[in-house]
Amino acid sequence: MKTKFRNISLISILAIYLVANLFIFLFTSAEYRTTVFWIAWAFTFGVNLCVLAFIYFFTKKSDRNDIVTIPGLLYVFYSANALYAGLGTYFMGFKHTSLATVKVAWAVYVALSVIYLIVVAYMTWSVGYIRQNKQHTRKKVFYIEDLRSSVEVLIPFINDKDLKTKMTKLADDIRFSDPMSDESLLDCETNLKLTVDEIVACVDNNDFEKLDELIEKAEKQLKFRNAKCKILR
């Protein structure tokens, strides 16, 4: 679906470029095709096509959600197209022959294109940075998410009301704990994980005698872990 949407968008933009070129070459006089005309044409279509190709192949290799995270990348592309079209209307729609106009056209298009390419490069770099940051954060929060799911999945299998209440509280305490893990928390998090594994084993084996003691142990280890988190922050 994403590939189809991307391809339709690309074909639509290329179709607009084709229609624009047909209009330019069919309805403008050959005498208008001066040096200024070709400078404007090259920048209007050449630069935008290069940027379009870059964005297309970049997004094809990456996660589409990362592009959506910075929608300004697409807005910049469309805004630049509109600006190039406005300048192109002036430089290609009228006959310009003076050397001064050639210099102005060069200066305007080069300045615009440099700014345009810098903005696009920065924003695509930002997309890559966000992707890496997401992956890093996902690894950091995996410990708490895994711990919480391990406890929550056991609750329906506990019939004792008191034990179920304590298990639910443990799950809630884990959920509202600091989600970010850290290497300095390795020892206390390992001990907590081992205790939760013991809890899982008890429920799996219907051995509820030690469950109350293990839940209390897990609560203490969790409090110690969260207290250490606050100190480290």
Side-chain angles (χ1 to χ4, degrees):
M1 187 56 139
K2 293 175 183 177
T3 302
K4 184 178 180 181
F5 172 79
R6 192 163 42 237
N7 290 338
I8 290 173
S9 300
L10 176 65
I11 292 171
S12 299
I13 294 172
L14 290 176
I16 292 172
Y17 285 173
L18 177 61
V19 170
N21 272 279
L22 287 173
F23 180 84
I24 289 170
F25 288 102
L26 290 176
F27 296 99
T28 59
S29 174
E31 63 180 320
Y32 283 22
R33 293 168 199 162
T34 60
T35 302
V36 174
F37 173 93
W38 289 113
I39 292 172
W41 182 87
F43 277 96
T44 300
F45 295 102
V47 172
N48 277 299
L49 282 172
C50 289
V51 172
L52 177 64
F54 176 75
I55 293 176
Y56 175 77
F57 289 111
F58 179 84
T59 57
K60 193 169 186 178
K61 295 177 182 178
S62 67
D63 185 355
R64 183 74 184 178
N65 291 328
D66 291 326
I67 297 298
V68 176
T69 305
I70 304 183
L73 179 61
L74 298 179
Y75 296 151
V76 165
F77 176 73
Y78 293 131
S79 299
N81 269 266
L83 189 55
Y84 275 104
L87 289 170
T89 300
Y90 173 73
F91 285 119
M92 289 187 281
F94 299 92
K95 186 177 180 179
H96 301 281
T97 56
S98 69
L99 182 61
T101 308
V102 173
K103 291 180 179 179
V104 169
W106 267 113
V108 169
Y109 276 112
V110 169
L112 175 61
S113 299
V114 168
I115 294 171
Y116 181 28
L117 294 174
I118 289 174
V119 171
V120 170
Y122 172 76
M123 298 190 82
T124 49
W125 171 84
S126 299
V127 170
Y129 175 79
I130 284 178
R131 186 186 306 111
Q132 290 178 350
N133 192 51
K134 278 183 177 179
Q135 292 172 349
H136 181 68
T137 303
R138 194 175 294 120
K139 290 178 181 178
K140 289 267 189 179
V141 302
F142 176 77
Y143 172 79
I144 285 294
E145 290 180 353
D146 180 56
L147 209 64
R148 178 181 58 81
S149 61
S150 297
V151 172
E152 284 185 344
V153 76
L154 301 175
I155 296 173
F157 300 98
I158 301 174
N159 296 321
D160 185 278
K161 187 176 180 180
D162 185 49
L163 287 176
K164 180 171 286 193
T165 300
K166 290 181 178 180
M167 185 70 87
T168 302
K169 182 180 181 302
L170 176 60
D172 289 339
D173 288 342
I174 293 172
R175 174 183 292 133
F176 296 111
S177 295
D178 190 324
M180 299 299 284
S181 187
D182 192 88
E183 289 182 3
S184 57
L185 300 171
L186 182 61
D187 289 340
C188 58
E189 287 186 342
T190 300
N191 291 333
L192 177 56
K193 183 65 170 67
L194 290 173
T195 302
V196 170
D197 288 343
E198 287 185 68
I199 292 173
V200 172
C202 283
V203 176
D204 285 345
N205 298 322
N206 292 318
D207 181 13
F208 298 104
E209 292 182 6
K210 293 183 179 180
L211 196 56
D212 191 21
E213 181 184 339
L214 288 171
I215 293 174
E216 186 178 346
K217 182 181 177 182
E219 286 282 12
K220 289 179 179 179
Q221 290 173 330
L222 181 63
K223 286 179 182 178
F224 177 74
R225 182 255 180 201
N226 290 339
K228 196 170 181 180
C229 275
K230 288 181 180 179
I231 294 172
L232 292 171
R233 298 291 178 266

